Amino acid sequence: MMDIVSSYNEWDPLEEIILGIPDYACIPHDEPAYRSKLDAADLNTFTAGLRKDETIQKARVQFDNLARILEYQCNVKLLRPEKIDYSKSIKTPFFEIESQNCAACPRDTLLVVGNEIIETPMSNRARYFESMAYRKILNDIWEKDKNMLWTNAPKPTMADSMYNLDFPWDDKSKERKDWIESYKYVTNETEPVFDAADVLRLGKDLVVQNSFTTNRKGIEWLRRHTKSRGYRVHEIHFPGDLSPVHIDCSLIPLVPPTNERKGILMNCPERPIAPADKERIFSGSNWEIQSAPMPFTTNIPELCQSSYWLCMNLLLVSPDRAIVEETEIPTINYLESLGIKCIRVPFRDVYGFGGGIHCVTSDIRRRGDRKSYFPNFD
């Protein structure tokens, strides 16, 4: 029987994927990991709890439309999480919170590395049990795929001691800029934490962003965990980003390398790769880095935890085809200039739930083998 779990990069032909849902989605209550993601103007104005029915319904329409496109236009097998009531409170020996988050973004909580799925140790209290929405999916795959590895990374306590509670919350302040330029974030190094969406999968190499959601201890855990299977983990920073959360709005692969040409990575021009990291990781590699075009609009939904650079948050279903939000015309034009055909979908009503098209999916199987695209590390 064919292996079900097999995905080494972001571009090989897509065959099976998890797509999130907006049901019972909540706006998280105030906590350090959530507060750090909000604009200064939102800090004292948001109302936590279950999102409005109208908002959820609008998002559901766009989720279901994307589901139809993946299944019937792209011939991809689709998996959806279970519906869980996220308005219920959480209480552990270390913290309590009145409501949770949602199951919109499996890309954050499930990291697929070859034949392994890792449930990641996220830093947000409202997301402590989020991976439970995918447990039935994971258990079914584990029973059918005898080569699948299913790992739950060390669960963090999320106690107050795990956070820098003196972090400068004002995203416009000089003090915050100083912290970020020193690579000091709201989550400290007490326990390993990382989100799957901070990991860029490039064959044998995993490029991992040190951010609000991924600390260096989390990167080291991933390095040790994958080393015996031949993976190489590289820490990367984007010092111009004052709210660094997830690499898939800062650096994404568009064109894979071949024997005839280098591959192309698209980098957000407002938060370029730290020069030292660029030299250390990409000098002598099979990649060139190009700047992303400016987004169609800088407007984002209220309380959106992402920036307007969600214009970069696209899903490659094969090396020459991508699913892109329909209003992101500059991105679409750029992709098409590279020979990538674009499937345009409406998705802006989902942005407020935590991300774009890449965020709300987690690919389980892509047709292709693991390769090295970094001869400088071979």
Side-chain angles (χ1 to χ4, degrees):
M1 180 180 175
M2 176 182 61
D3 291 344
I4 297 173
V5 181
S6 181
S7 183
Y8 297 100
N9 57 51
E10 311 285 344
W11 61 81
D12 278 342
L14 183 62
E15 296 183 339
E16 188 163 348
I17 200 165
I18 299 174
L19 173 65
I21 56 175
D23 301 79
Y24 299 107
C26 292
I27 297 170
H29 284 76
D30 194 6
E31 58 163 302
Y34 181 53
R35 173 172 278 258
S36 63
K37 300 175 187 176
L38 297 178
D39 289 338
D42 292 331
L43 287 177
N44 299 309
T45 61
F46 71 92
T47 301
L50 196 64
R51 292 178 184 266
K52 296 177 182 177
D53 287 343
E54 178 185 2
T55 304
I56 292 174
Q57 180 56 30
K58 284 182 177 180
R60 185 182 292 116
V61 168
Q62 295 191 347
F63 267 106
D64 290 347
N65 177 62
L66 177 57
R68 287 189 293 271
I69 288 171
L70 284 164
E71 282 192 288
Y72 301 114
Q73 189 170 338
C74 301
N75 298 313
V76 173
K77 182 177 179 180
L78 195 68
L79 305 170
R80 307 295 295 273
E82 292 186 271
K83 296 179 182 179
I84 292 176
D85 185 356
Y86 288 103
S87 66
K88 293 182 177 179
S89 62
I90 292 175
K91 185 175 182 180
T92 80
F94 306 102
F95 73 88
E96 57 183 291
I97 194 166
E98 294 178 53
S99 63
Q100 302 173 60
N101 187 46
C102 62
C105 296
R107 185 75 60 174
D108 300 352
T109 189
L110 301 177
L111 176 61
V112 182
V113 182
N115 66 328
E116 180 178 24
I117 299 180
I118 301 171
E119 296 181 46
T120 58
M122 296 191 289
S123 62
N124 193 316
R125 289 169 175 168
R127 308 187 76 174
Y128 193 79
F129 291 114
E130 191 167 310
S131 65
M132 292 298 174
Y134 309 97
R135 276 296 173 89
K136 186 177 186 303
I137 290 174
L138 299 182
N139 191 60
D140 287 347
I141 294 174
W142 188 81
E143 290 178 350
K144 295 172 184 175
D145 182 351
K146 303 307 179 185
N147 291 316
M148 175 205 181
L149 299 176
W150 178 8
T151 302
N152 198 327
K155 201 77 171 171
T157 64
M158 299 189 186
D160 283 354
S161 59
M162 204 181 85
Y163 306 98
N164 292 315
L165 297 179
D166 57 342
F167 182 81
W169 306 114
D170 185 349
D171 61 321
K172 306 295 191 297
S173 70
K174 181 182 182 303
E175 185 182 6
R176 176 145 165 170
K177 185 173 183 292
D178 292 342
W179 275 55
I180 300 298
E181 288 181 349
S182 300
Y183 306 142
K184 187 179 178 183
Y185 308 113
V186 64
T187 306
N188 59 39
E189 298 295 331
T190 303
E191 305 174 60
V193 295
F194 64 91
D195 279 13
D198 269 324
V199 182
L200 183 61
R201 302 171 308 136
L202 301 172
K204 285 184 66 175
D205 292 87
L206 306 175
V207 177
V208 189
Q209 178 183 207
N210 180 207
S211 70
F212 283 172
T213 46
T214 296
N215 63 9
R216 282 175 159 158
K217 199 173 240 184
I219 297 172
E220 178 60 19
W221 184 91
L222 188 62
R223 178 179 290 113
R224 295 187 198 181
H225 180 73
T226 60
K227 183 179 180 180
S228 64
R229 291 191 289 132
Y231 289 94
R232 300 173 296 214
V233 172
H234 312 279
E235 181 180 325
I236 198 169
H237 303 88
F238 303 91
D241 187 358
L242 298 185
S243 296
V245 176
H246 300 165
I247 199 169
D248 54 2
C249 283
S250 295
L251 184 70
I252 64 166
L254 293 180
V255 178
T258 67
N259 292 332
E260 291 76 35
R261 65 159 194 267
K262 284 195 170 189
I264 296 174
L265 291 160
M266 180 168 66
N267 185 197
C268 173
E270 288 188 356
R271 38 181 183 257
I273 303 168
D277 292 346
K278 184 176 181 180
E279 173 68 21
R280 174 175 51 84
I281 300 171
F282 295 101
S283 179
S285 75
N286 285 338
W287 296 97
E288 65 173 278
I289 298 170
Q290 297 184 4
S291 289
M294 289 297 295
F296 166 72
T297 177
T298 57
N299 293 326
I300 58 172
E302 185 182 11
L303 295 178
C304 182
Q305 298 175 54
S306 306
S307 73
Y308 47 76
W309 287 102
L310 279 174
C311 63
M312 295 176 58
N313 201 261
L314 55 94
L315 178 69
L316 286 166
V317 294
S318 67
D320 61 357
R321 190 163 55 154
I323 302 177
V324 189
E325 209 289 321
E326 65 178 7
T327 63
E328 302 296 353
I329 302 301
T331 300
I332 290 169
N333 290 340
Y334 172 60
L335 293 175
E336 292 182 343
S337 75
L338 298 174
I340 301 172
K341 299 176 183 177
C342 293
I343 301 171
R344 309 180 187 199
V345 300
F347 218 66
R348 293 190 70 84
D349 288 334
V350 178
Y351 281 7
F353 287 71
I357 296 165
H358 191 258
C359 298
V360 303
T361 57
S362 183
D363 42 286
I364 297 300
R365 187 173 67 256
R366 289 181 180 267
R367 190 171 66 254
D369 300 322
R370 187 179 74 170
K371 299 177 182 177
S372 174
Y373 305 99
F374 290 80
N376 46 321
F377 295 120
D378 289 342

